[in-house]
Amino acid sequence: MCSSDLSCNTELLSETRSLAGVLCNLKGRVIADFRLLQRDDDILMQCARGMAEKVLATLGKYAVFSKVELAQLDSNSGNAPRVLGVLNDGAREALAILGLELPDSANGVRASANCSAVRISSPSERIELWMHSEATAQQLIAALETALSDDLDAWHSADIEAGIVHVTPNLSEEY
């Protein structure tokens, strides 16, 4: 028996559908929230900053019983996708630059060789662009330079409006 559980049915994950969920301990307390993205034979998991080690330690206890390899990707070393969040008109502009269409519904994915666009639950149009190529990321950033902002308030407000909560290290296993 597993001492932790996922809140989503991973059998529903596909290259056109991402999954959002939480990893819970046996008592049902949330260890971490995450988003899963399938890319070919790989499954990428995104979690809040500072949570990767705890997620890896928890899942690692059970990986030995499966034909699975767990690894922490690091955006600083270039082996992880660069993820950009884009809202409203910027979402359509970014997708047009990348030659992708807006996914039909929340958690939907549209992908190319170098990018996966994930539609995030929100009252407005909101996407995460998982850039699998640094060159593609740099081209998009250059093309959107005037529309880019480091101000995350609008993104966090959209999370709140959509009822999305991220579990940080100080909240892990508290609720």
Side-chain angles (χ1 to χ4, degrees):
M1 176 169 273
C2 206
S3 72
S4 61
D5 290 303
L6 301 180
S7 68
C8 58
N9 181 353
T10 56
E11 291 182 14
L12 298 176
L13 181 65
S14 72
E15 290 189 0
T16 60
R17 182 179 184 182
S18 71
L19 295 175
V22 295
L23 173 65
C24 297
N25 65 20
L26 186 59
K27 294 180 180 181
R29 293 180 182 259
V30 177
I31 296 169
D33 70 297
F34 60 82
R35 174 168 303 281
L36 298 177
L37 178 73
Q38 182 174 337
R39 186 144 172 92
D40 301 321
D41 291 335
D42 294 329
I43 297 175
L44 303 173
M45 177 184 271
Q46 174 193 59
C47 57
R49 184 177 308 278
M51 295 305 301
E53 293 82 10
K54 190 163 192 167
V55 169
L56 274 173
T58 303
L59 295 178
K61 297 173 190 174
Y62 311 103
V64 296
F65 303 110
S66 303
K67 294 180 181 178
V68 66
E69 180 182 331
L70 301 175
Q72 182 175 343
L73 304 179
D74 182 2
S75 58
N76 294 329
S77 66
N79 69 350
R82 185 179 221 182
V83 180
L84 303 173
V86 189
L87 295 161
N88 302 320
D89 293 337
R92 295 235 181 225
E93 183 181 354
L95 290 169
I97 292 167
L98 294 167
L100 294 170
E101 292 182 19
L102 183 69
D104 294 329
S105 59
N107 299 317
V109 178
R110 298 286 171 102
S112 68
N114 296 320
C115 179
S116 298
V118 179
R119 189 165 185 170
I120 306 299
S121 179
S122 180
S124 58
E125 288 184 356
R126 187 163 72 129
I127 57 171
E128 282 183 355
L129 298 170
W130 295 46
M131 310 301 291
H132 307 291
S133 155
E134 185 59 29
T136 302
Q138 291 302 326
Q139 289 171 351
L140 180 65
I141 290 168
L144 294 175
E145 186 172 4
T146 58
L148 291 179
S149 170
D150 289 337
D151 182 7
L152 296 176
D153 289 343
W155 190 268
H156 293 301
S157 293
D159 274 348
I160 292 167
E161 289 175 9
I164 297 171
V165 177
H166 296 291
V167 178
T168 56
N170 62 332
L171 294 176
S172 183
E173 298 188 71
E174 288 295 315
Y175 302 99

